[in-house]
Amino acid sequence: MSGLKAGDAFPEGVSFTYIAPTGELDLTACGLGVQYDASKEFKNKKVVLVAVPGAFTPTCQEQHVPSYLANLDNLKAKGVDQVIFIASNDHWVMAAWGKANGVKDESILFMSDPGTAFSKSIGWTQGDRTLRYAIVVDHGKVTYAEIDSVRGSIANTGAEGVLAKL
Amino acid sequence: MADNVKQIASAADFSSLLASTQYVVADFYADWCGPCKAIAPKYVELAKQHSLPGFMAFAKVNVDTVQAVAQEYGITAMPTFLFFKDGKKVAVNGNAMIQGADWNTLRLASEKMARLAKEKAIAAGGAK
């Protein structure tokens, strides 16, 4: 299978792992890694799923996450319930990346695509890492699915690019 | 009569405690979690002060070794303290659960449950 496209149903059996943010409790509580049943959760939400080659890697760190942080209100205005970043990194690294970006709540969730299982299933991987892609799932249906293959560019997968197509 | 903290070994263990004890406080923790270790000795003190077999118990559930119970109650942060009356999860002092090592809130909630447990115990004793 090569990629998802607008109009497809989001596949069944997709799950990621993540650590629920502990927000203000950071000093008094430890997060626990849990499984996120994406196929089930995406059936009743509008979600932007962004995959990046690696947490803390240059383009992702300097442009990608900031573009979403800056546009959360704009995305909500267009009915987006949740923004989720995934990468091949394990959920511990993803949780730390979220904290490094100052995200203490569930506004943006940082999850692991363990073994790049999901990304592999749609053919959007490069070696052990995922490609840089963004997918919008609206109540189970894929309404946007694009890759950015130009090095350093987030034209299709950054918040502005996705917003333009919502 | 004081008692120790009940270390839960399995889901069956937990069900059995909930069935045999009217009021139960449960501490969901992990060995690698700092805040859990910090509050542990205080939890032991609560158990020593307020446990009453059949009426009030303090349980500890390790989320790594007893995953089924941690998942059943949707635990996402440790420590999380849950409260049970007659086997059902209840809110105490307006808290459905306590997330994080919040000693004061835990102490007040435990003391409240302990008072209720003691009343039940006396009533049960008096009925004989």
Side-chain angles (χ1 to χ4, degrees), chain A residues 18-20 22 25-34 92, chain B residues 32-35 63-64 70 75-79 99-101:
Chain A
Y18 78 114
I19 295 180
T22 52
L25 301 174
D26 261 3
L27 293 176
T28 58
C30 304
L32 179 65
V34 291
W92 298 107
Chain B
W32 43 265
C33 173
V63 302
D64 291 320
I75 304 299
T76 56
M78 285 85 62
Q99 271 191 327

Side-chain angles (χ1 to χ4, degrees), chain A residues 37-103:
Chain A
D37 185 343
S39 301
K40 174 161 163 249
E41 295 289 334
F42 291 2
K43 286 204 161 85
N44 56 21
K45 296 182 181 59
K46 188 164 176 174
V47 179
V48 180
L49 181 67
V50 187
V52 297
F56 295 106
T57 56
T59 311
C60 313
Q61 182 56 28
E62 285 156 27
Q63 297 182 54
H64 221 153
V65 177
S67 83
Y68 279 87
L69 286 173
N71 283 288
L72 279 177
D73 287 338
N74 294 332
L75 289 161
K76 272 224 166 67
K78 296 252 178 150
V80 173
D81 297 302
Q82 187 69 65
V83 176
I84 299 177
F85 266 77
I86 58 171
S88 58
N89 306 97
D90 64 43
H91 57 260
W92 298 107
V93 172
M94 294 305 282
W97 193 37
K99 286 188 187 172
N101 275 290
V103 180

